Amino acid sequence: MSIRPQNLPKVRAQTIQRMLGLHDKPNPFLRGNDEDVTGRIVSHLRAAELYWVSEDMAALAMSAGSQLAAARWATADRPSPCGLIYFDGGVGTVQVSGTMSGPVQALAWGPSPDGTLTVTHLMTREQFMGGARVPFPEAVPPLVAIREARLPVTVESVPFVDLPAHEGMKPPLPIVSALAAAWHLMQQPQLVERGSVEPGKADARSLRRSGLPSDPVTLVSLRRQYVPQTREGEPAGSRVYRHRWVVSGHWRDQPHGPERALRRKTWIPAYVKGPDGAPLLSTERVNVWRR
């Protein structure tokens, strides 16, 4: 069952409350040397800004992330120092322990005691319980932490293949690369539409009485015009093309900042190249976004 944007503050609060109940109990999944894993996740959730990502945006983040080779995880590269991002439709699966795997539907991030960035992988309670239609035990949070990754905070980008293992397990590259891509894409207003939604009035009152945050949720979705755009043919005097073809979406290091000396990863959407009216090459694979 999908979590609605306006319900995310309540889900966050209930997760905090349930996890505090587990504070002195071993977590069956996050079994590291850190004795305060649960307490750290709770502190991240309390400080987190909330993001809800639509299913098509999540799919784009996964696709664009697969084309990233490296990323930075510094505070300046994140949309907020601590965050909780829910992906409608999920962002794949992750190995939990042994042969067991689970779907990742949300990610929380925040600083680690060792100076790295902790990214906690979460699944919904319904998925954790196997979809069984039975009353949920009170101890199970709405979002269940199933794994964490420790990512280095550096000045330069770190190749994904060089990310260090934590507790003997390498970070799940499709998921951490999708997170890095989502952070980049959220900075591109020509592609991404950002809005906000407040929690319901009853939920907000309940959260305030409990001393828990009732922040608005940032909605992240693709703009409706994100479809391949036809561009004009080559200038006069240049090579003459007799066909049109699709140029795939790709990342570009876009100059910005003082004297355009800095570089920012920018996603260039797919577009159709070639003269108007010319036949489209049938050998090209065209992916069409539909809403």
Side-chain angles (χ1 to χ4, degrees):
M1 183 174 65
S2 178
I3 295 174
R4 299 170 63 191
Q6 59 267 38
N7 292 338
L8 192 54
K10 182 178 180 180
V11 167
R12 187 253 301 268
Q14 290 178 340
T15 299
I16 290 172
Q17 291 172 327
R18 301 293 192 277
M19 292 192 76
L20 287 174
L22 294 171
H23 190 74
D24 296 325
K25 301 178 177 63
N27 188 307
F29 299 109
L30 301 179
R31 46 184 207 295
N33 296 325
D34 188 343
E35 297 178 355
D36 195 26
V37 173
T38 300
R40 187 178 64 254
I41 296 173
V42 166
S43 68
H44 291 169
L45 290 176
R46 282 187 179 275
E49 292 191 20
L50 304 179
Y51 304 90
W52 188 95
V53 175
S54 66
E55 188 172 3
D56 53 1
M57 180 68 200
L60 176 61
M62 289 288 289
S63 175
S66 68
Q67 298 187 45
L68 276 176
R72 292 197 329 165
W73 308 99
T75 304
D77 300 294
R78 311 170 213 157
S80 56
C82 295
L84 170 63
I85 186 166
Y86 175 81
F87 293 93
D88 193 29
V91 282
T93 60
V94 67
Q95 182 183 359
V96 179
S97 61
T99 60
M100 181 181 177
S101 62
V104 176
Q105 290 153 304
L107 297 168
W109 67 84
S112 306
D114 59 3
T116 61
L117 177 74
T118 293
V119 177
T120 304
H121 300 61
L122 303 137
M123 66 190 299
T124 63
R125 179 167 53 190
E126 287 80 4
Q127 288 285 350
F128 177 75
M129 298 294 292
R133 294 181 177 274
V134 295
F136 298 120
E138 286 298 317
V140 180
L143 293 174
V144 180
I146 57 175
R147 186 170 166 188
E148 71 174 22
R150 296 281 185 93
L151 305 176
V153 177
T154 56
V155 175
E156 301 294 333
S157 296
V158 177
F160 290 125
V161 295
D162 293 337
L163 290 177
H166 176 59
E167 297 301 326
M169 302 179 77
K170 294 278 284 186
L173 298 189
I175 294 174
V176 295
S177 64
L179 178 63
W183 290 352
H184 286 306
L185 293 167
M186 287 165 66
Q187 301 180 52
Q188 293 187 241
Q190 72 274 24
L191 290 181
V192 175
E193 193 167 43
R194 294 178 62 164
S196 65
V197 62
E198 300 282 346
K201 292 182 179 180
D203 286 347
R205 286 196 298 269
S206 176
L207 294 172
R208 286 194 294 269
R209 285 196 300 268
S210 301
L212 295 168
S214 58
D215 305 319
V217 179
T218 298
L219 305 180
V220 185
S221 59
L222 282 174
R223 289 190 177 277
R224 291 185 180 275
Q225 63 265 33
Y226 180 69
V227 293
Q229 300 294 315
T230 301
R231 294 189 177 181
E232 297 179 359
E234 296 296 316
S238 62
R239 181 178 178 181
V240 176
Y241 296 102
R242 292 183 171 82
H243 297 89
R244 291 179 299 151
W245 66 96
V246 174
V247 177
S248 300
H250 57 281
W251 292 102
R252 175 185 295 167
D253 287 324
Q254 193 76 17
H256 73 102
E259 299 183 357
R260 298 173 65 80
L262 304 176
R263 295 293 183 270
R264 174 189 294 139
K265 288 290 184 184
T266 302
W267 180 255
I268 308 301
Y271 62 92
V272 178
K273 188 171 183 178
D276 292 339
L280 187 69
L281 287 176
S282 59
T283 56
E284 298 289 343
R285 178 179 177 180
V286 181
N287 295 305
V288 180
W289 288 95
R290 298 190 185 276
R291 295 182 65 94

